[in-house]
Structures are given as C-alpha cells and as structure tokens.
Amino acid sequence: MLQDIRLAIIVNPELPPGHLANTIAAISIGIGSAMPDLGNRQLTDSRENTIDISSNRPVPILQADSQTIGALLLRALPKEERRIVVPFPAFARSMHSYADYEGQFPERDLSAETIDGIGLAGASKWVKSLTGSLKLLR
C-alpha cells in the first residue's frame, strides 16, 4: 500500500524558531494520523527495549515563502484519495484550543489566508510535481 508514497513538509523559513518547530510538529502529527502506516510500528533492540518508530521513510523539510506555500496548497487541492494535504494556516497560531480552530475554520477561505506550512503525502510523482523546485530548509 505504501510502496510509492513520498512525504514533504514545506515551511516558511522566516518564522521564528519556536513557530517553525511547532508548525513542523503539528503538520507531522496530521500526516501521521491520516496515514498511520508511515510510523505505526515498533522495534525491539537486543536488550528487549521496545520503541515506537518515528517514520518508515524520509521526511524532507523544504522551504518557501508564505505566498508560494499558499499557491502550493491551492494546486494540491481538491484533495484526492491517497493524497494527504495538511496545511498550517497562520490564524491557527492565535487559537488557544482546537475547538476554537474547528469553529472558526468554516468561516475562513484558505485561498485568502497566510499559510505557514503544508505537509504532503502521496504518490511520488504527485509530491515531486508540487515540490521539485523547492530547496531544503537550512
């Protein structure tokens, strides 16, 4: 099922370090919950210490400005089967509970919002077509 799956997280490198880390973490949780086979495994070492794995494939963190990320989101939508699209709109940062975010979301238009980051998971060809020209976050 996951043979041809590629991942990418794209974030705005101008975010402060704490916001950058939070954006990447939140997007990662969204991708993982939408496609649990990416990490839903455990490994046991020679001393019988068992851990939950982080990911069974690379997760490149790419960079783009918020305008490029917004355009990328619109190209990735509408979401199709076996394609994961997890945006992090900037307005989410001002919410102090998920209930507030969920309540406000239907009133928002993502095409008019600043998007701080986006996570993509899907067929390699699709993800590459959207991210092929982006650089790694440094």
Side-chain angles (χ1 to χ4, degrees), residues 7-82:
L7 307 171
I9 295 176
I10 304 93
V11 292
N12 184 343
E14 295 178 14
L15 291 171
H19 288 179
L20 195 60
N22 177 257
T23 300
I24 293 167
I27 289 170
S28 297
I29 290 170
I31 292 172
S33 65
M35 197 175 276
D37 288 346
L38 294 171
N40 191 18
R41 295 206 42 210
Q42 294 182 331
L43 296 175
T44 303
D45 72 7
S46 62
R47 295 186 68 183
E48 299 299 316
N49 296 309
T50 300
I51 62 153
D52 298 299
I53 70 163
S54 55
S55 177
N56 61 16
R57 63 197 66 243
V59 185
I61 309 299
L62 308 174
Q63 63 178 320
D65 61 38
S66 60
Q67 194 171 17
T68 301
I69 295 170
L72 180 63
L73 171 61
L74 296 179
R75 286 179 48 214
L77 295 174
K79 188 173 147 348
E80 295 181 16
E81 188 176 343
R82 294 189 36 86

Side-chain angles (χ1 to χ4, degrees), residues 62-126:
L62 308 174
Q63 63 178 320
D65 61 38
S66 60
Q67 194 171 17
T68 301
I69 295 170
L72 180 63
L73 171 61
L74 296 179
R75 286 179 48 214
L77 295 174
K79 188 173 147 348
E80 295 181 16
E81 188 176 343
R82 294 189 36 86
R83 291 182 179 179
I84 307 303
V85 179
V86 182
F88 191 106
F91 76 84
R93 207 169 304 286
S94 67
M95 306 289 153
H96 298 291
S97 74
Y98 176 75
D100 292 342
Y101 176 73
E102 187 175 343
Q104 278 198 22
F105 195 87
E107 308 296 319
R108 302 287 186 147
D109 173 1
L110 286 180
S111 68
E113 296 289 343
T114 299
I115 307 297
D116 286 345
I118 186 172
L120 304 169
S124 292
K125 184 177 179 179
W126 176 69

